[in-house]
Amino acid sequence: MEIAIITGASSGIGRSFAKQLHQSGEVDEFWFIARGKTALDATASELGINAKIITADLSTPAGLASIKDALAQYTPTVQYLIHSAGRGDFGAFDELTEEQISTTIDLNVKATVLLTKMTVPYMPHGGRIITLGSGSCFTPLPYFNTYSSSKVFVLHYTKSLNFELEKYGIRATCFCPGWVDTPLLDGLMNTPNRHPKQFKPKLNVDMVVKKCLAASKKGKTMCVVNWYTKLQHVLFKLVPDRLLTKTWLNMLTE
Ligand SMILES: NC(=O)c1ccc[n+]([C@@H]2O[C@H](COP(=O)([O-])OP(=O)(O)OC[C@H]3O[C@@H](n4cnc5c(N)ncnc54)[C@H](OP(=O)(O)O)[C@@H]3O)[C@@H](O)[C@H]2O)c1
């Protein structure tokens, strides 16, 4: 029995991955992971399936240990591991609380690395990992620094990981979309801190996830979605950082 493990399956991008993988019929069973049980149950009932629901705070050692225990107990064959749980805050480096900063690094970075390490032994040849980078990997972003830097880590980690995974026939794809229309953006917009005046263009979640799944099947290392983010990616290699960062600063509220 082949399973897909999807963190953050209760909302936004993770929920769309669950929906589209279910429609494709590629896996027999799903493990959905997030903190809130009600929303995870809602994803499963929306799809009409009996997913294994694991409520865990992946920014904590206890949350990660509960996934390790479940893997050891059920010894599943994991066809897909999708790391969609993620968080971030706008704000200056000295305005964000230590808790906000630590939780972002623990969830976006540490959980991605440790969940990958504990899951790969259960993945077959042809298994797929999807990590969540972002368009913010391609420009230094003041006032979104911890978040965007965590995504740079994930991008480099994924690229390096692919070399190490070659011998197992497993591929990892770092998904780097621009702004995607999910509850994450509503939360970011509702903070008093400096943030973009608007999130534009705001991409359709199902459209971007479809592109990422296609890229993952082809074994691509990275999936950059939408013309704006692709342009950012190219400019990052050609234009001095300072210019790109100044454009970003002009887009922020005072
Ligand atoms: N939306 C965008 O514009 C965008 C663009 C580029 C990349 N991304 C990345 O895509 C990923 C998904 O984002 P999204 O837009 O789909 O966000 P979202 O709608 O807010 O979903 C985030 C998911 O992560 C779970 N989660 C949050 N904190 C958690 C924790 N400590 N432990 C376990 N699960 C946790 C949430 O469930 P609970 O709250 O119940 O735990 C939820 O299921 C994130 O990594 C984000 O950085 C988003």
Side-chain angles (χ1 to χ4, degrees):
M1 180 172 297
E2 295 197 335
I3 74 159
I5 298 180
I6 306 179
T7 73
S10 56
S11 179
I13 292 172
R15 183 179 275 207
S16 182
F17 271 117
K19 193 167 71 180
Q20 296 192 40
L21 268 184
H22 173 59
Q23 282 162 357
S24 75
E26 281 173 76
V27 292
D28 308 301
E29 193 185 303
F30 288 88
W31 287 14
F32 292 158
I33 306 169
R35 289 167 303 175
K37 182 172 178 350
T38 312
L40 287 173
D41 285 339
T43 301
S45 64
E46 188 194 335
L47 304 186
I49 58 172
N50 270 325
K52 179 169 174 53
I53 303 296
I54 305 180
T55 51
D57 182 344
L58 296 175
S59 68
T60 66
L64 292 171
S66 68
I67 311 303
K68 194 173 181 179
D69 290 347
L71 286 165
Q73 185 182 351
Y74 294 98
T75 61
T77 302
V78 183
Q79 179 61 28
Y80 279 92
L81 170 63
I82 302 179
H83 297 276
S84 199
R87 74 172 312 284
D89 308 279
F90 280 99
F93 76 96
D94 53 353
E95 283 169 2
L96 298 181
T97 65
E98 287 174 22
E99 193 191 348
Q100 284 175 308
I101 293 168
S102 304
T103 312
T104 298
I105 295 171
D106 287 346
L107 181 62
N108 297 6
V109 174
K110 197 170 161 189
T112 299
V113 173
L114 293 182
L115 276 180
T116 299
K117 175 177 158 51
M118 62 180 76
T119 307
V120 164
Y122 299 90
M123 297 188 88
H125 192 277
R128 291 288 184 259
I129 298 169
I130 295 175
T131 58
L132 260 296
S134 155
S136 68
C137 291
F138 309 129
T139 311
L141 299 182
Y143 307 105
F144 206 27
N145 190 355
T146 305
Y147 175 87
S148 58
S149 301
S150 76
K151 297 302 185 180
V152 175
F153 179 104
V154 170
L155 176 59
H156 277 250
Y157 175 75
T158 310
K159 285 181 174 178
S160 305
L161 185 68
N162 268 330
F163 286 91
E164 297 183 35
L165 291 179
E166 227 160 68
K167 61 182 174 209
Y168 304 116
I170 297 167
R171 294 291 295 172
T173 302
C174 186
F175 183 24
C176 300
W179 302 122
V180 186
D181 195 0
T182 71
L184 181 89
L185 293 193
D186 303 332
L188 289 172
M189 202 52 136
N190 290 329
T191 62
N193 295 327
R194 267 188 120 188
H195 57 69
K197 291 172 194 125
Q198 53 183 338
F199 293 113
K200 225 174 156 187
K202 203 150 66 162
L203 307 169
N204 174 275
V205 65
D206 292 333
M207 181 275 287
V208 296
V209 165
K210 188 174 173 189
K211 291 197 174 177
C212 180
L213 279 172
S216 162
K217 282 193 190 109
K218 287 183 191 152
K220 304 246 183 198
T221 290
M222 186 164 70
C223 174
V224 181
V225 178
N226 100 305
W227 65 268
Y228 182 80
T229 312
K230 283 183 179 160
L231 181 67
Q232 254 183 308
H233 183 215
V234 173
L235 289 178
F236 183 54
K237 295 176 182 173
L238 304 174
V239 177
D241 286 356
R242 282 185 67 78
L243 286 181
L244 295 177
T245 300
K246 279 192 173 164
T247 311
W248 161 256
L249 288 172
N250 284 334
M251 290 161 60
L252 299 183
T253 54
E254 289 305 317

